[in-house]
Amino acid sequence: DVKVTQSSRYLVKRTGEKVFLECVQDMDHENMFWYRQDPGLGLRLIYFSYDVKMKEKGDIPEGYSVSREKKERFSLILESASTNQTSMYLCASSRPYQPQHFGDGTRLSIL
Amino acid sequence: AQTVTQSQPEMSVQEAETVTLSCTYDTSESNYYLFWYKQPPSRQMILVIRQEAYKQQNATENRFSVNFQKAAKSFSLKISDSQLGDTAMYFCAFIYQGGSEKLVFGKGTKLTVNP
């Protein structure tokens, strides 16, 4: 079974902090994704990556950056956290044009 | 631009009955894939079923089946013999071959199965 592991299930941070969300997959997938999920808005893509050191902006990249130094790891960075970034964050991975496999999610609260 | 619309924000069904969740999509592409994902409360999002656009036969996975109407751009999910464990958010999603790897999601349907 594909395993996508997100480093934290719940996280509480303060406004202005730099926040790192980590995601690791164990199936050698080329593609990795970061989404945020908010009630009534569904899933919105923040960033995705086709390969190591490659990244592309999704629909809502503002206020976020990403890093993919190794194939199995994809990090989401909130450079200066704000309260409107309080949300559920989901990481996913896939082979090209195959279904995405999701992690358990990180519920992030910014106070 | 590709869009996915789920017109039913919430639905409920009695245990053992059948329920159908609606999904429509908009695209000018001819080669694409459609998916239904399930997200139980506080649990991981998992794939329920997938359909390749070039296949005319509707996909089936145990109690889950789809009604894929390509001309109408419709992709509904039928759940037969509903079980309490089917209570979840259900998301319809679309990806087209040859484009970016972005999955386009609908906003979801919250399904409650009542005992």
Side-chain angles (χ1 to χ4, degrees):
Chain A
D1 270 359
V2 176
K3 186 72 174 175
V4 178
T5 303
Q6 294 184 230
S7 53
S8 304
R9 196 72 189 268
Y10 300 94
L11 203 55
V12 180
K13 295 292 182 180
R14 296 203 175 275
T15 304
E17 279 193 71
K18 190 168 186 176
V19 181
F20 294 85
L21 301 183
E22 306 286 347
C23 176
V24 177
Q25 51 96 2
D26 66 357
M27 283 302 290
D28 201 38
H29 284 170
E30 290 84 355
N31 302 330
M32 295 189 76
F33 307 83
W34 275 107
Y35 296 90
R36 66 176 281 176
Q37 182 178 15
D38 301 287
L41 297 178
L43 276 77
R44 293 179 292 168
L45 182 65
I46 304 171
Y47 268 98
F48 61 108
S49 170
Y50 295 123
D51 201 350
V52 176
K53 297 191 188 296
M54 303 289 287
K55 62 184 180 183
E56 289 208 20
K57 293 180 179 179
D59 301 316
I60 51 164
E62 296 79 17
Y64 303 94
S65 62
V66 291
S67 172
R68 194 166 181 201
E69 296 296 318
K70 293 184 177 182
K71 192 174 185 179
E72 67 270 19
R73 186 180 297 270
F74 192 37
S75 304
L76 179 69
I77 304 154
L78 286 66
E79 297 290 344
S80 177
S82 64
T83 55
N84 63 11
Q85 292 178 309
T86 291
S87 186
M88 170 71 86
Y89 289 87
L90 296 176
C91 176
S93 72
S94 76
R95 297 203 186 283
Y97 303 110
Q98 295 302 306
Q100 293 180 16
H101 299 265
F102 286 82
D104 285 340
T106 296
R107 189 168 292 282
L108 175 64
S109 296
I110 308 295
L111 304 179
Chain B
Q2 335 294 328
T3 59
V4 175
T5 302
Q6 293 179 247
S7 59
Q8 306 146 316
E10 292 193 39
M11 294 188 74
S12 63
V13 64
Q14 292 299 121
E15 199 174 4
E17 293 186 349
T18 295
V19 64
T20 298
L21 279 57
S22 301
C23 173
T24 58
Y25 58 95
D26 188 21
T27 183
S28 58
E29 302 294 329
S30 55
N31 295 322
Y32 52 87
Y33 302 89
L34 293 157
F35 307 95
W36 278 99
Y37 282 88
K38 168 186 176 180
Q39 187 181 37
S42 302
R43 301 266 320 263
Q44 187 181 40
M45 177 112 56
I46 57 173
L47 179 70
V48 175
I49 200 164
R50 65 179 290 183
Q51 174 82 42
E52 290 86 352
Y54 63 85
K55 290 186 177 179
Q56 292 188 332
Q57 187 171 5
N58 289 325
T60 299
E61 286 287 339
N62 301 315
R63 297 182 296 106
F64 297 88
S65 61
V66 298
N67 183 3
F68 174 47
Q69 302 288 327
K70 191 171 183 179
K73 297 180 182 175
S74 171
F75 182 60
S76 60
L77 175 70
K78 186 171 85 171
I79 306 173
S80 304
D81 186 25
S82 297
Q83 300 176 0
L84 297 178
D86 295 333
T87 292
M89 283 289 291
Y90 287 82
F91 293 95
C92 179
F94 163 99
I95 190 171
Y96 71 94
Q97 193 155 9
S100 76
E101 291 275 356
K102 291 166 58 173
L103 261 181
V104 180
F105 283 91
K107 288 186 167 47
T109 296
K110 183 179 181 181
L111 177 67
T112 302
V113 180
N114 298 308

